Amino acid sequence: MRKYYQEEIECASPEQIKAWQDERLVKQVKNVYENNTYYRKLMDEAGITPDDIQSTADLHKLPFLTKNDLREAYPYGLMSRPVKDCVRIQSTSGTTGRRVVAFYTQNDIDIWEECCARAIVAVGGDEDDVCQVCYGYGLFTGGPGLNGGSHKVGCLTLPMSSGNTERQIQFMRDLGSTILCCTPSYAAFIGETLHDMGFTPDDIRLKAGIFGAEPWTEEMRRDIEAKLGIKAYDIYGLTEISGPGVSFECEEQTGMHINEDHFIAEIINPDTGEVLPDGEVGELVFTSITKEAFPLLRYRTRDLCVLSRKKCSCGRTHVKMSKPMGRSDDMLIIRGVNVFPSQIETVLLKEGYTPNYQILVDRINNTDTLDINVELTQEQFKEYNDNVEGYEKKLAAAITTMLGIRPKVHLLAPKSVVRSEGKAVRVIDKRKLHD
Ligand code: DLL
């Protein structure tokens, strides 16, 4: 079995990785300064010229870019190549404000697909595999990215896109799919549908899943692994930086290797912008050093995580990022307490509930309210029937211990929480409607 897609790069020495980054950063900063009026203006305002950037040690001198800059520069303002050199756009699923549009040259697409190919090989994929891609296709990067990676590895690729879940399972069985790519919430739904159709994991040939595009917990990983009889791996990325494959998990399943030959990662304090040492939680910032059409320097992702340079047993040497614990702008502040939806998910799954839940936040009489709808399985529904209130109280108490504030828990009948085929909508914050 193939262990790496590009061993000489993925297992390069730290000195070699640093040398690549130094050289590529210097070149990229010059390129952006010369070809991108928007970022040149930011550098001029900060009093920085390309000569000030001699290596990665100077990275902190460069100004940050935020999603707001992308909106301001929409659509063409942050390109560093003319449109005639570009062959593709992709875009975010953003529902508010202007969409983010990212541009790619053919070389950008090749590199992006190579990054996804590294992720597929890292979960044990090779040309004997049948790779079923159920991320959305189209403007969303999930489908096209993993599809391209799967081709590069030489897997038989099933470009399913999301939805029509019974048909997904039929193809999975008929063609003997061995690798599944989709969001973790959709993977859980596929597992549930498999069960509802009367099948067990023994009736399918899946061995691994590559799941990302939304936060998910370790408890959710175990739930999906059991439902589908597979190993579930995380993959991370964002449209602005290319799409899936900015980082990916290996057999250790303890964080995602960032493709450092293409992206320099920093962790900063989100309030002050100060760069934090490895091991501290903060906001992830990326600089794309090989992108041609749409290279972003010091792009603030809003994703909160930790970097680790601990030696990995898989042999890869690129830095690892922890699972993002959520986006700093997804963090809920309820009655003054910081709440991440992932904390609630952890408690639910530990207490034996399904990952079918929704968090409702509102403000009534100037007080924040937190309601959590949790769906029961058929078995729980029968068993809990004469004491639902007691179970609601018990679960509310467990969540209170985790969060420090008391929610109102509602245990609901099976199939009453809407399922997700892409990124799950876990939180409905009605306070925003009042503002
Ligand atoms: O979600 C790219 C992607 C597709 C990644 C398929 C993995 C698999 P966007 O739609 O631009 O791109 O959303 C990017 O999604 O900033 C994170 O907040 C979140 N995100 C992506 N991957 C993960 C993950 C794609 N593994 C935003 N864990 C990012 C947690 C993730 N959050």
Side-chain angles (χ1 to χ4, degrees):
M1 201 178 69
R2 198 168 171 181
K3 207 166 170 216
Y4 310 102
Y5 182 66
Q6 290 164 313
E7 181 169 359
E8 66 296 351
I9 299 172
E10 294 173 64
C11 302
S13 69
E15 296 73 32
Q16 175 64 72
I17 295 173
K18 175 149 190 327
W20 283 326
Q21 290 192 335
D22 286 342
E23 188 204 321
R24 291 172 187 179
L25 175 68
V26 170
K27 247 169 88 182
Q28 186 69 290
V29 172
K30 276 203 185 83
N31 169 40
V32 170
Y33 192 77
E34 279 159 21
N35 295 303
N36 182 326
T37 45
Y38 190 97
Y39 198 76
R40 182 189 187 119
K41 187 164 163 263
L42 291 186
M43 283 177 67
D44 287 344
E45 279 165 11
I48 300 292
T49 70
D51 289 341
D52 294 316
I53 310 299
Q54 296 295 327
S55 75
T56 47
D58 298 321
L59 186 60
H60 69 277
K61 297 178 186 165
L62 288 170
F64 291 118
L65 275 173
T66 64
K67 202 161 202 151
N68 212 28
D69 291 304
L70 266 68
R71 292 205 175 109
E72 246 172 60
Y74 176 89
Y76 292 122
L78 272 163
M79 290 173 75
S80 294
R81 280 287 180 93
V83 170
K84 74 171 174 52
D85 290 356
C86 299
V87 296
R88 171 100 67 85
I89 69 150
Q90 301 286 161
S91 175
T92 58
S93 44
T95 45
T96 52
R98 282 181 185 152
R99 279 178 171 275
V100 167
V101 175
F103 299 83
Y104 303 74
T105 62
Q106 185 55 51
N107 190 45
D108 292 335
I109 297 224
D110 285 338
I111 288 176
W112 173 29
E113 292 180 350
E114 269 170 27
C115 289
C116 289
R118 291 181 193 175
I120 292 172
V121 173
V123 309
D126 64 20
E127 59 278 1
D128 291 324
D129 280 290
V130 179
C131 183
Q132 183 160 345
V133 183
C134 324
Y135 286 110
Y137 281 64
L139 287 172
F140 178 54
T141 53
L146 269 310
N147 190 94
S150 174
H151 277 226
K152 284 227 182 314
V153 175
C155 304
L156 174 65
T157 310
L158 274 55
M160 301 294 295
S161 197
S162 62
N164 206 339
T165 310
E166 292 197 0
R167 192 186 61 180
Q168 299 276 5
I169 289 170
Q170 196 183 339
F171 265 102
M172 190 179 281
R173 282 172 43 79
D174 293 351
L175 288 144
S177 304
T178 51
I179 298 176
L180 174 67
C181 305
C182 61
T183 59
S185 52
Y186 194 44
F189 182 33
I190 291 176
E192 184 187 345
T193 309
L194 183 78
H195 177 82
D196 291 350
M197 288 169 77
F199 298 123
T200 71
D202 290 340
D203 296 311
I204 53 174
R205 293 192 53 213
L206 279 188
K207 62 178 184 187
I210 304 181
F211 306 133
E214 64 186 6
W216 54 308
T217 57
E218 287 302 325
E219 288 74 18
M220 182 90 166
R221 187 202 305 264
R222 281 192 284 278
D223 182 67
I224 296 170
E225 291 189 332
K227 274 186 180 141
L228 291 170
I230 57 169
K231 290 267 246 172
Y233 299 89
D234 206 349
I235 184 165
Y236 167 91
L238 59 166
T239 314
E240 298 91 313
I241 299 301
S242 64
V246 170
S247 66
F248 61 91
E249 236 173 22
C250 61
E251 65 217 30
E252 236 193 37
Q253 294 180 299
T254 54
M256 296 174 271
H257 291 283
I258 295 172
N259 285 310
E260 287 189 285
D261 50 327
H262 300 300
F263 316 109
I264 303 178
E266 298 169 277
I267 293 285
I268 62 161
N269 176 326
D271 299 325
T272 62
E274 175 206 356
V275 179
L276 300 175
D278 291 347
E280 284 194 29
V281 183
E283 181 181 340
L284 191 54
V285 173
F286 282 114
T287 297
S288 18
I289 45 178
T290 52
K291 273 278 210 72
E292 294 176 341
F294 197 69
L296 300 186
L297 306 183
R298 298 199 90 202
Y299 181 66
R300 292 184 60 159
T301 63
R302 296 271 160 208
D303 293 319
L304 300 175
C305 72
V306 181
L307 295 183
S308 162
R309 295 201 174 267
K310 219 173 117 210
K311 196 164 187 266
C312 187
S313 61
C314 77
R316 290 179 185 77
T317 46
H318 294 222
V319 70
K320 285 207 292 204
M321 59 180 268
S322 65
K323 265 182 175 307
M325 46 194 69
R327 299 171 58 78
S328 53
D329 44 8
D330 277 355
M331 186 181 77
L332 296 161
I333 304 182
I334 304 171
R335 285 173 239 148
V337 178
N338 297 350
V339 172
F340 281 104
S342 60
Q343 294 175 297
I344 296 173
E345 182 176 298
T346 297
V347 179
L348 293 184
L349 287 144
K350 269 198 184 137
E351 296 287 316
Y353 290 94
T354 65
N356 301 314
Y357 64 95
Q358 205 149 38
I359 301 166
L360 309 161
V361 187
D362 204 347
R363 183 170 294 141
I364 296 169
N365 295 333
N366 292 321
T367 308
D368 293 336
T369 59
L370 171 62
D371 287 71
I372 306 173
N373 289 340
V374 184
E375 189 183 293
L376 297 171
T377 60
Q378 277 305 347
E379 297 75 41
Q380 286 169 330
F381 193 59
K382 278 193 210 123
E383 196 190 322
Y384 293 7
N385 200 18
D386 41 4
N387 186 20
V388 173
E389 217 174 291
Y391 283 100
E392 285 176 342
K393 281 201 178 123
K394 186 165 169 270
L395 180 56
I399 295 172
T400 308
T401 308
M402 168 68 104
L403 303 182
I405 53 164
R406 178 170 287 274
K408 210 170 192 173
V409 168
H410 310 270
L411 296 178
L412 307 180
K415 312 278 179 212
S416 45
V417 172
V418 63
R419 300 292 187 270
S420 140
E421 295 172 351
K423 295 189 191 234
V425 180
R426 302 287 197 197
V427 181
I428 298 176
D429 192 343
K430 292 193 185 152
R431 294 175 301 184
K432 291 187 182 143
L433 298 175
H434 312 316
D435 291 342

